[in-house]
Every structure is written in C-alpha cells, then in structure tokens.
C-alpha cells in the first residue's frame, strides 16, 4: 500500500495542464458497445478507473488499446457476452454505464447491482426505470439486474429523483435511445457537461441526440452507429481541485484547458471567499491573498455547486476568517473527511446533511485516512497548508480519478511524495 507524504507550507505557483474528464471518459468508453467500427478517443486520462473500464469492456468483447499519442482505439470484436459481473462492478460503480448500451445493442443486459459505497446509498432505480420504458423486461437474478427486450421502442421518460436527476441514468437512457425505434424524450435529464460530451460523441457516431445540457433531451433512434473520433472535455473537478489548491496555499496557478463555463458555481463561491479568478489565455488563472472570507455552500446538480468538490471546498473553508456552512444535497452522507480534517485541527461540526465550519488560524499535519476519491483530494489540500507533515494513506482512492496528482502538484512547488508503506 502507498501513501502521500506532504510537508505543508509552500505556496503553489505555475501552470497545471488539466487532464480529460474521468466522468465523461467512462460513459463514452461504455458507449463503444453501441458502435460498429472503430472509435478513437483523445484526451482520455490515465486513471485506474479508465483501466478498470477497459477490463470490463474486454470481458464484454470490446478491444481497446492506446496508440503512441495516448489516444484510445476501441472496437467491438465479440457480442456474445452481456454480463457485467459483481467482481468488476463492485470495484467501480461507473460499470453500470454498460447497461444501456448492452440492452440496446445486444438486447440483453445483465449487470450486477453496485450496492452502497463510501459516499452513501447509491440506488440505480432511475437507470432501471428509464431502460424499462423502452419495453424491456426486468428481473433481479442473484443480485444482478437482468434486462431483456426483443426490440427497444422510444418513449417519454422522467428521470427526476429525490435528489434531482441522475447523471449516469441520463447517460444510460440516452445511449439506449440512440438505437431504439422512434423518438425518446428524457424529461428532467441531468445537465452536466459530461452528459453533453457523451451526446457529442454519440452524434459524431451518427446518433440523433438534441437538447443535451438542458433538462429535456430528445433522441431520434437510428439503425446503427459508426465509429468516430472524439476529444474528451477537460476535467472540471480536477480543475476545481487545483483552483482550491491555489486558494489554500495563497498561490498563483494557471490551469490550462479549464473551462469557465463548466465551473461557474465554484468560481462564484471562491470569489466570495476572496480568491481572484480570471480567464487566462489558455484556461483559468487563480490567485489568492491571505484572508479568506467564510461562505455558505449547498451542493446541487449542474450548474449548481458540484458534490464532487464539496470535500475540497471544506478543506479551504477550515481556514476562513469566520464560520462557513456546507450542505450536501446530492449525497447527504458524503462526509467521511470531516473526522479526518478534525484530526488536523479543523473545527467541523456535522448536523445531518450540513457541516458547520468554524474557521481556524491553522491546520497541523497528521496521519489521515482517505475514504473515497474526493475526500482524499481534500486531505491532500489540507496537507499542503498544514504545519508539519501529513500522511494521506490509501492512495488508491486518488489514483482512481486524478492523473499523476503528486507530479502535477510537485511541479508547481508542493512538497509531496508518494511512498510505500514499507519505505523507511
Ligand atoms: N439517484 C437515485 N436513483 C438512481 C440514481 C441516482 O436516487 O437511480 C440519486 C443518488 O443517490 C444521488 C443523486 O441521485 O443522490 C445523483 O446521483 P447520480 O446518479 O447523478 O450519480 P452518478 O451518476 O452515480 C455521477 C458521478 C459522480 C458524481 C455524481 C453526482 C460518474 C461516473 N460519477 O455519479 O462522481 O458524484 O454523478 O454529480 O459520472 C466522483 O467522480 O467522485 C463521483 C462520485
């Protein structure tokens, strides 16, 4: 097992290249199941989750390999298997994104129910409801969702749930609809940029998807999809994490590739905190002066403040001059970082889905345990500014979703090293 050792107190300065978006890459890779011929994906991040999706796709008969430029070539070679097994799905929830493509192309999808995870309950009822609307039969078999249909018929489907829409359910229904007979209307669709990126890829393959990025998506089914070349959008969550890294270290970073239109809620909150954010020539420039103002943050579906930046924002607000409040409206239990930040001297009090953050003058280094991807990022951010040494254990969480985070941070001045648990 590995951990990150961070000696806090350095100011970050320089340029960071933002990688391709994990949450755009994974459903787009899954969409290759729908396609006849080869697709080429550029700007795919080099992440554990991308490797995991390649393994799952390989089991499902999709060959994928990177060329010398890093672009990934994907092609279906065998359509026999339509079963995503527990062993693979339990390692990565995004595996559920193969459900819509398998049902649409192979008329059968058997996908293990993912179950809960560190950030709370994560039901898939909206995925199933959406896919049943095409006329598919649904059964639960040994913990697997089994969907079957002789043909898929387009329909109207409402994907609103108790916490808003669902990003990957929208992706699943949109993907299945591309090969369904007739028109599908997805009401209360997720508006996240990753959904738009998926729609752009599908359209490049010959699909007829309109309205992605709005709450109503219309898909006119086509007979087949052909291969296409596509460039994955930059990762707004990675970019947001580096923005907060600049803010928390009183630093000055230029984030190449970051897109302001994907990050307005974060930019709005950070400006209120006192962080200076400007459009740069190649992305976004972020700098900070020392005094941080407290703010109120509520996570919401896009274009609201993303749940995937809640933990990182909390690390920053630990050092604000006053009390801040963060309410989590997407995953009310996504707070495993609270106890760890408190070990570093933060003053956080959780009350239901809300955390009250009493700003402190400084954080102190400590050994801490990462519990999930974004909580790990928050602990690294806290470590960058804490007095002394912080060890963030369980690096595998961060490797799922941040490409070479320690290399990128070290290149702009952070004192961070990846170590093996056995290292002296
Ligand atoms: N929900 C339901 N029923 C469903 C599906 C979702 O009630 O069938 C609820 C969820 O419990 C949650 C809300 O709807 O309260 C939104 O969940 P959503 O389905 O949108 O999440 P997801 O599609 O499973 C994606 C990202 C997550 C990100 C969420 C929210 C991918 C691969 N994952 O998950 O990313 O937190 O959207 O924006 O796109 C991460 O990258 O760290 C991560 C967890």
């Amino acid at each position: 097992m590995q951990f990150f050792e961070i000696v806090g107190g350095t100011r970050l300065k320089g340029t960071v290249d933002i990688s391709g978006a994990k949450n755009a890459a994974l459903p787009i890779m899954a969409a290759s199941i729908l396609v006849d011929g080869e697709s080429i994906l550029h700007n795919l991040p080099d992440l554990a989750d991308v490797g995991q999706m390649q393994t799952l796709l390989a089991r499902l008969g999709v060959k994928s390999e990177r060329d010398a430029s890093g672009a990934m070539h994907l092609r279906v070679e065998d359509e026999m298997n339509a079963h995503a097994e527990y062993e693979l799905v339990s390692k990565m929830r995004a595996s559920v994104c193969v459900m819509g493509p398998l049902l649409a192309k192979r008329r059968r999808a058997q996908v293990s129910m993912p179950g809960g995870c560190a950030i709370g309950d994560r039901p898939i009822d909206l995925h199933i409801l959406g896919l049943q609307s095409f006329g598919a039969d649904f059964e639960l078999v040994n913990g697997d969702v089994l969907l079957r249909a002789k043909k898929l018929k387009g329909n109207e489907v409402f994907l609103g749930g108790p916490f808003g829409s669902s990003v990957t359910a929208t992706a699943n229904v949109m993907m299945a609809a591309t090969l369904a007979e007739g028109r599908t209307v997805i009401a209360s669709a997720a508006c996240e940029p990753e959904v738009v990126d998926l729609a752009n890829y599908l359209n490049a393959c010959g699909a007829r998807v309109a309205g992605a990025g709005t709450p109503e998506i219309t898909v006119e089914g086509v007979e087949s999809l052909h291969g296409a070349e596509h460039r994955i959008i930059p990762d707004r969550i990675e970019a947001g994490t580096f923005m907060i890294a600049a803010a928390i270290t009183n630093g000055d970073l230029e984030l190449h590739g970051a897109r302001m239109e994907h990050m307005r809620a974060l930019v709005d909150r950070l400006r209120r905190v006192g962080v200076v954010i400007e459009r740069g020539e190649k992305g976004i420039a972020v700098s900070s002066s020392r005094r941080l103002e407290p703010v109120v943050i509520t996570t919401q579906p896009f274009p609201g403040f993303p749940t995937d930046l809640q933990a990182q924002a909390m690390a920053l607000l630990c050092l604000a001059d006053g009390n801040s409040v963060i309410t989590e409206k997407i995953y009310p239990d996504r707070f495993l970082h609270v106890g760890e930040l408190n070990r570093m001297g933060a003053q956080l009090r959780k009350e239901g889905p809300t955390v009250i953050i009493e700003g402190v003058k400084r954080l102190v280094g400590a050994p801490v345990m990462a519990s999930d991807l974004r909580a790990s990022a928050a602990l690294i951010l806290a470590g960058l500014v804490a007095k002394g040494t912080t060890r963030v254990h369980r690096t595998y969480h961060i490797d799922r979703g941040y490409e070479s985070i320690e290399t990128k941070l070290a290149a702009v001045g952070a004192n961070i090293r990846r170590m093996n648990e056995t290292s002296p």
Side-chain angles (χ1 to χ4, degrees):
M1 288 245 255
Q2 296 182 317
F3 62 91
F4 289 118
E5 186 169 276
I6 307 155
V7 181
T10 55
R11 201 172 161 257
L12 302 192
K13 191 167 170 37
T15 300
V16 179
D17 286 324
I18 299 304
S19 301
K22 166 180 85 82
N23 290 345
L26 299 174
I28 289 175
M29 289 172 72
S32 66
I33 290 172
L34 294 163
V35 172
D36 299 326
E38 182 174 89
S39 280
I40 305 175
L41 301 179
H42 298 277
N43 204 31
L44 260 188
D46 189 7
L47 300 170
D49 272 10
V50 167
Q52 191 65 33
M53 183 57 89
Q54 281 187 278
T55 306
L56 173 59
L57 290 175
R59 293 269 183 100
L60 296 171
V62 183
K63 186 171 171 215
S64 65
E65 47 190 19
R66 295 217 191 225
D67 65 21
S69 76
M72 189 178 285
H73 298 237
L74 298 110
R75 175 190 283 278
V76 176
E77 293 200 324
D78 178 357
E79 296 201 309
M80 282 299 285
N81 189 16
H83 188 184
E85 283 157 285
Y86 180 67
E87 169 216 343
L88 290 174
V89 177
S90 60
K91 287 196 184 131
M92 183 181 70
R93 290 190 56 88
S95 307
V96 81
C97 291
V98 300
M99 205 187 301
L102 286 176
L103 179 67
K105 192 71 173 41
R106 302 184 191 178
R107 304 293 189 239
R108 178 188 165 95
Q110 184 169 355
V111 177
S112 173
M113 284 276 257
C117 73
I119 67 176
D121 277 349
R122 295 183 70 183
I124 56 164
D125 54 310
L126 295 171
H127 298 245
I128 297 168
L129 177 124
L131 294 174
Q132 274 183 295
S133 79
F134 294 105
D137 291 327
F138 160 65
E139 260 184 278
L140 199 55
V141 183
N142 283 336
D144 290 345
V145 170
L146 176 60
L147 288 157
R148 279 177 292 196
K150 288 221 165 48
K151 64 173 183 186
L152 266 55
K153 262 189 85 54
N155 209 327
E156 280 195 20
V157 55
F158 178 77
L159 285 185
F163 300 97
S165 189
S166 159
V167 179
T168 48
T170 301
N172 255 329
V173 175
M174 191 165 85
M175 289 189 279
T178 59
L179 294 182
E181 201 179 278
R183 170 183 294 189
T184 300
V185 178
I186 308 173
S188 194
C191 301
E192 271 66 5
E194 294 75 17
V195 171
V196 179
D197 205 31
L198 173 62
N200 288 341
Y201 165 68
L202 292 169
N203 285 342
C205 296
R208 294 176 60 202
V209 180
T214 76
E216 186 169 300
I217 297 177
T218 305
V219 185
E220 301 288 348
V222 296
E223 284 292 316
S224 63
L225 298 180
H226 53 75
E229 229 170 310
H230 179 78
R231 191 172 176 79
I232 306 288
I233 53 169
D235 195 314
R236 65 194 167 100
I237 306 301
E238 187 200 25
T241 304
F242 277 98
M243 259 188 194
I244 297 173
I248 206 168
T249 63
N250 202 14
D252 191 348
L253 292 180
E254 182 136 353
L255 308 177
H256 282 183
R259 292 195 192 161
M260 198 70 105
E261 68 273 23
H262 291 171
M263 312 187 63
R264 289 199 182 102
L266 175 69
V267 169
D268 169 71
R269 291 295 88 185
L270 288 183
R271 281 183 173 150
R272 278 177 190 252
V273 166
V275 181
V276 179
I277 301 172
E278 282 158 359
R279 271 182 210 275
E281 237 173 74
K282 294 186 178 164
I284 301 180
V286 193
S287 60
S288 171
S289 57
R290 190 61 265 175
R291 191 171 184 278
L292 303 172
E293 298 289 340
V295 288
V296 172
I297 291 177
T298 302
T299 65
Q300 286 169 329
F302 188 85
F305 193 95
T307 173
D308 291 343
L309 287 169
Q310 177 257 109
Q312 301 90 315
M314 192 176 294
L316 175 69
L317 295 176
C318 286
L319 295 163
D321 196 3
N323 293 350
S324 301
V325 178
I326 295 188
T327 301
E328 177 55 72
K329 288 262 175 105
I330 310 290
Y331 298 116
D333 296 321
R334 192 178 203 174
F335 285 125
L336 287 176
H337 43 285
V338 166
E340 300 303 295
L341 288 170
N342 280 342
R343 297 193 69 245
M344 299 178 72
Q347 289 287 337
L348 308 176
R349 201 174 69 243
K350 180 175 162 336
E351 290 182 8
T354 296
V355 173
I356 296 149
I357 304 153
E358 195 184 314
V360 294
K361 287 270 177 294
R362 68 177 186 198
L363 295 173
V364 284
V368 285
M369 198 65 84
S371 53
D372 74 87
L373 170 57
R374 308 304 174 187
S376 321
L379 296 174
I380 290 177
L381 292 172
L384 291 175
V385 71
K387 187 172 161 45
T389 302
T390 298
R391 285 184 167 192
V392 181
H393 294 274
R394 301 188 179 168
T395 50
Y396 57 85
H397 287 296
I398 207 104
D399 295 334
R400 292 191 39 218
Y402 288 89
E403 189 173 61
S404 321
I405 192 167
E406 76 275 27
T407 314
K408 288 189 182 187
L409 282 169
V412 290
N415 189 339
I416 178 170
R417 285 191 301 166
R418 184 187 288 264
M419 319 261 288
N420 290 317
E421 294 285 357
T422 51
S423 303

